[in-house]
Coordinates of all heavy atoms in Angstrom, one line a residue:
A1 N 115.1 82.4 70.1 CA 115.3 83.2 68.9 C 116.5 84.1 69.1 O 117.0 84.6 68.1 CB 114.1 84.0 68.6
G2 N 116.9 84.4 70.3 CA 118.0 85.4 70.5 C 119.3 85.2 69.8 O 119.9 86.1 69.3
E3 N 119.7 84.0 69.7 CA 121.0 83.7 69.1 C 121.1 84.0 67.6 O 122.0 84.6 67.2 CB 121.3 82.2 69.4 CG 122.8 81.9 69.2 CD 123.1 80.5 69.6 OE1 122.7 80.1 70.7 OE2 123.8 79.8 68.9
P4 N 120.2 83.5 66.8 CA 120.3 83.8 65.3 C 119.9 85.1 64.8 O 120.3 85.6 63.8 CB 119.5 82.7 64.7 CG 118.5 82.3 65.7 CD 119.1 82.5 67.0
V5 N 119.0 85.8 65.6 CA 118.5 87.1 65.1 C 119.5 88.1 64.7 O 119.4 88.7 63.7 CB 117.4 87.6 66.1 CG1 117.0 89.1 65.8 CG2 116.2 86.7 66.2
P6 N 120.5 88.4 65.5 CA 121.6 89.3 65.1 C 122.2 89.0 63.8 O 122.7 89.9 63.1 CB 122.6 89.3 66.3 CG 121.8 88.9 67.4 CD 120.8 87.9 66.9
L7 N 122.2 87.7 63.4 CA 122.8 87.3 62.1 C 121.9 87.6 61.0 O 122.3 87.7 59.8 CB 123.1 85.8 62.2 CG 124.1 85.4 63.2 CD1 124.2 83.8 63.3 CD2 125.5 86.0 63.0
F8 N 120.6 87.7 61.3 CA 119.5 88.0 60.3 C 119.6 89.3 59.7 O 119.5 89.5 58.5 CB 118.2 87.7 60.9 CG 117.0 88.1 60.0 CD1 116.8 87.5 58.8 CD2 116.1 89.1 60.4 CE1 115.8 87.9 58.0 CE2 115.1 89.5 59.6 CZ 114.9 88.9 58.4
H9 N 119.8 90.4 60.5 CA 119.8 91.8 60.0 C 120.6 92.6 60.9 O 120.6 92.4 62.1 CB 118.4 92.3 59.9 CG 118.3 93.5 59.0 ND1 118.7 94.8 59.5 CD2 118.0 93.7 57.8 CE1 118.5 95.7 58.6 NE2 118.1 95.0 57.5
P10 N 121.4 93.6 60.4 CA 122.3 94.4 61.2 C 121.6 95.2 62.3 O 122.2 95.6 63.3 CB 122.9 95.4 60.2 CG 122.8 94.7 58.9 CD 121.6 93.8 58.9
I11 N 120.3 95.5 62.2 CA 119.6 96.3 63.2 C 119.6 95.5 64.5 O 119.4 96.1 65.6 CB 118.2 96.8 62.8 CG1 117.2 95.6 62.7 CG2 118.2 97.7 61.6 CD1 115.8 96.1 62.6
W12 N 119.7 94.2 64.5 CA 119.6 93.4 65.7 C 120.9 93.2 66.3 O 121.0 92.7 67.5 CB 118.9 92.1 65.3 CG 117.6 92.2 64.8 CD1 117.2 91.9 63.5 CD2 116.4 92.7 65.4 NE1 115.9 92.2 63.3 CE2 115.3 92.7 64.5 CE3 116.1 93.2 66.7 CZ2 114.1 93.2 64.8 CZ3 114.9 93.6 67.0 CH2 113.8 93.6 66.0
V13 N 122.0 93.5 65.7 CA 123.4 93.3 66.2 C 123.6 94.0 67.6 O 124.1 93.4 68.5 CB 124.5 93.7 65.2 CG1 125.8 93.7 65.8 CG2 124.4 92.8 64.0
D14 N 123.2 95.3 67.7 CA 123.4 96.0 68.9 C 122.2 96.0 69.8 O 122.2 96.6 70.9 CB 123.7 97.5 68.5 CG 125.0 97.6 67.9 OD1 125.9 96.8 68.2 OD2 125.2 98.5 67.0
A15 N 121.1 95.2 69.4 CA 119.9 95.2 70.3 C 120.2 94.4 71.6 O 121.0 93.4 71.6 CB 118.8 94.5 69.5
D16 N 119.6 94.8 72.6 CA 119.7 94.1 73.9 C 119.1 92.8 73.8 O 117.9 92.7 73.2 CB 119.0 95.0 75.0 CG 119.1 94.4 76.4 OD1 119.0 93.2 76.6 OD2 119.4 95.2 77.3
P17 N 119.7 91.7 74.2 CA 119.1 90.4 74.1 C 117.7 90.3 74.8 O 116.8 89.6 74.3 CB 120.1 89.5 74.9 CG 121.4 90.2 74.7 CD 121.1 91.6 74.8
E18 N 117.5 91.1 75.8 CA 116.1 91.1 76.4 C 115.1 91.7 75.5 O 113.9 91.3 75.4 CB 116.1 92.0 77.7 CG 116.9 91.2 78.8 CD 116.8 92.0 80.1 OE1 115.9 92.8 80.3 OE2 117.6 91.7 81.0
D19 N 115.5 92.7 74.6 CA 114.6 93.3 73.7 C 114.3 92.3 72.5 O 113.2 92.2 72.0 CB 115.1 94.6 73.1 CG 115.2 95.7 74.1 OD1 114.4 95.6 75.1 OD2 116.0 96.6 74.0
I20 N 115.3 91.5 72.2 CA 115.1 90.5 71.1 C 114.1 89.4 71.7 O 113.2 89.0 71.0 CB 116.4 89.8 70.7 CG1 117.2 90.9 69.9 CG2 116.2 88.6 69.9 CD1 118.6 90.4 69.6
A21 N 114.3 89.0 72.9 CA 113.4 88.1 73.5 C 112.0 88.6 73.7 O 111.0 87.9 73.4 CB 113.9 87.7 74.9
F22 N 111.9 89.9 74.0 CA 110.6 90.6 74.1 C 109.9 90.6 72.7 O 108.7 90.3 72.6 CB 110.8 92.1 74.5 CG 109.6 92.9 74.5 CD1 108.7 92.9 75.6 CD2 109.4 93.9 73.6 CE1 107.6 93.7 75.7 CE2 108.3 94.7 73.6 CZ 107.4 94.6 74.7
A23 N 110.6 90.9 71.6 CA 110.1 90.9 70.3 C 109.6 89.5 69.9 O 108.6 89.3 69.3 CB 111.1 91.4 69.3
D24 N 110.4 88.5 70.2 CA 110.0 87.1 69.9 C 108.8 86.7 70.6 O 107.9 86.1 70.0 CB 111.2 86.2 70.2 CG 111.0 84.8 69.6 OD1 110.6 84.7 68.4 OD2 111.1 83.8 70.3
S25 N 108.7 87.0 71.9 CA 107.6 86.5 72.7 C 106.3 87.2 72.4 O 105.2 86.7 72.5 CB 107.9 86.6 74.2 OG 108.0 87.9 74.6
H26 N 106.4 88.5 72.0 CA 105.2 89.3 71.7 C 104.8 89.3 70.2 O 103.6 89.6 69.9 CB 105.4 90.7 72.1 CG 105.4 90.9 73.6 ND1 106.4 90.6 74.4 CD2 104.4 91.2 74.5 CE1 106.1 90.8 75.7 NE2 104.8 91.2 75.7
A27 N 105.7 89.0 69.3 CA 105.3 89.1 67.9 C 105.9 88.1 67.0 O 105.1 87.5 66.1 CB 105.8 90.5 67.4
A28 N 107.1 87.7 67.1 CA 107.7 86.9 66.1 C 107.5 85.4 66.3 O 107.4 84.6 65.4 CB 109.2 87.2 65.9
H29 N 107.5 85.0 67.6 CA 107.3 83.6 68.0 C 108.2 82.6 67.3 O 107.7 81.5 66.9 CB 105.8 83.3 67.8 CG 104.9 84.3 68.4 ND1 104.8 84.4 69.8 CD2 104.1 85.2 67.8 CE1 103.9 85.4 70.0 NE2 103.5 85.9 68.9
G30 N 109.4 83.0 67.0 CA 110.4 82.1 66.4 C 110.1 81.8 64.9 O 110.8 80.9 64.3
N31 N 109.3 82.6 64.3 CA 108.9 82.4 62.9 C 109.7 83.4 62.0 O 109.6 84.6 62.2 CB 107.4 82.6 62.8 CG 106.9 82.5 61.3 OD1 107.1 83.4 60.5 ND2 106.3 81.4 61.1
F32 N 110.4 82.8 61.0 CA 111.2 83.6 60.2 C 110.4 84.7 59.4 O 110.9 85.9 59.3 CB 112.0 82.8 59.2 CG 113.0 83.6 58.3 CD1 114.2 84.0 58.9 CD2 112.7 83.9 57.0 CE1 115.1 84.7 58.1 CE2 113.6 84.7 56.3 CZ 114.8 85.1 56.8
R33 N 109.3 84.4 58.9 CA 108.5 85.4 58.2 C 108.1 86.5 59.1 O 108.1 87.7 58.7 CB 107.3 84.7 57.6 CG 106.5 85.7 56.7 CD 105.4 84.9 56.0 NE 106.0 84.0 55.1 CZ 105.4 83.5 54.0 NH1 104.2 83.8 53.7 NH2 106.1 82.6 53.3
A34 N 107.7 86.2 60.3 CA 107.3 87.2 61.3 C 108.5 88.1 61.6 O 108.4 89.3 61.8 CB 106.7 86.5 62.6
W35 N 109.7 87.5 61.8 CA 110.9 88.3 62.0 C 111.2 89.2 60.9 O 111.6 90.4 61.1 CB 112.1 87.4 62.3 CG 112.2 87.0 63.7 CD1 112.0 85.8 64.3 CD2 112.6 87.9 64.8 NE1 112.2 85.9 65.7 CE2 112.6 87.1 66.0 CE3 112.9 89.3 64.9 CZ2 112.8 87.7 67.3 CZ3 113.2 89.8 66.1 CH2 113.2 89.0 67.3
A36 N 111.0 88.7 59.6 CA 111.2 89.6 58.5 C 110.2 90.8 58.5 O 110.7 91.9 58.2 CB 111.0 88.8 57.2
Q37 N 109.0 90.5 58.8 CA 108.0 91.7 58.8 C 108.3 92.6 60.0 O 108.3 93.8 59.8 CB 106.6 91.1 59.1 CG 106.0 90.5 57.9 CD 104.6 90.0 58.2 OE1 104.3 89.3 59.2 NE2 103.6 90.3 57.3
L38 N 108.7 92.1 61.1 CA 109.0 92.9 62.3 C 110.3 93.7 62.0 O 110.3 94.9 62.3 CB 109.2 92.0 63.5 CG 109.6 92.7 64.8 CD1 108.5 93.7 65.2 CD2 109.8 91.8 65.9
T39 N 111.2 93.1 61.3 CA 112.5 93.8 61.0 C 112.1 95.0 60.0 O 112.7 96.1 60.2 CB 113.5 92.9 60.3 OG1 113.8 91.9 61.3 CG2 114.7 93.6 59.9
A40 N 111.3 94.8 59.0 CA 110.9 95.9 58.1 C 110.3 97.0 58.9 O 110.6 98.2 58.6 CB 110.0 95.3 57.0
H41 N 109.3 96.7 59.7 CA 108.7 97.8 60.5 C 109.6 98.5 61.5 O 109.5 99.7 61.7 CB 107.4 97.2 61.2 CG 106.3 96.9 60.3 ND1 105.7 97.7 59.4 CD2 105.7 95.7 60.1 CE1 104.8 97.1 58.7 NE2 104.8 95.9 59.1
T42 N 110.5 97.7 62.0 CA 111.5 98.2 63.0 C 112.4 99.2 62.3 O 112.8 100.2 62.8 CB 112.2 97.1 63.7 OG1 111.2 96.3 64.4 CG2 113.1 97.7 64.8
R43 N 112.9 98.8 61.1 CA 113.7 99.7 60.3 C 113.0 101.0 60.0 O 113.6 102.1 60.1 CB 114.1 99.0 59.0 CG 115.1 97.9 59.1 CD 115.5 97.3 57.8 NE 116.2 98.3 57.0 CZ 116.2 98.4 55.7 NH1 115.4 97.6 55.0 NH2 116.9 99.4 55.1
T44 N 111.8 100.9 59.7 CA 111.0 102.2 59.4 C 111.0 103.0 60.7 O 111.2 104.2 60.6 CB 109.6 101.8 59.0 OG1 109.6 101.1 57.7 CG2 108.7 103.1 58.8
A45 N 110.7 102.4 61.8 CA 110.6 103.1 63.1 C 112.0 103.8 63.4 O 112.0 104.9 63.9 CB 110.2 102.2 64.2
L46 N 113.1 103.0 63.2 CA 114.4 103.6 63.5 C 114.6 104.8 62.6 O 115.1 105.9 63.0 CB 115.5 102.5 63.2 CG 115.6 101.5 64.3 CD1 116.5 100.3 63.7 CD2 116.2 102.0 65.5

């Protein structure tokens, strides 16, 4: 998932690739809908 995620939303552009992999393995599992939900909650947290 690490390669396309920074293209999905600007919050992922500066994210460490290890953090993107962490997010994918713990929550998103390569699923676009899960990445969308995770991105929304991550934006709120930021």
Side-chain angles (χ1 to χ4, degrees):
E3 195 173 316
V5 169
L7 301 173
F8 170 61
H9 196 280
I11 66 167
W12 302 112
V13 171
D14 293 328
D16 185 314
E18 289 185 19
D19 292 336
I20 292 173
F22 177 78
D24 191 51
S25 68
H26 286 83
H29 309 292
N31 180 282
F32 184 77
R33 185 173 296 204
W35 272 109
Q37 287 181 311
L38 180 60
T39 298
H41 291 301
T42 302
R43 287 183 66 213
T44 298
L46 286 167

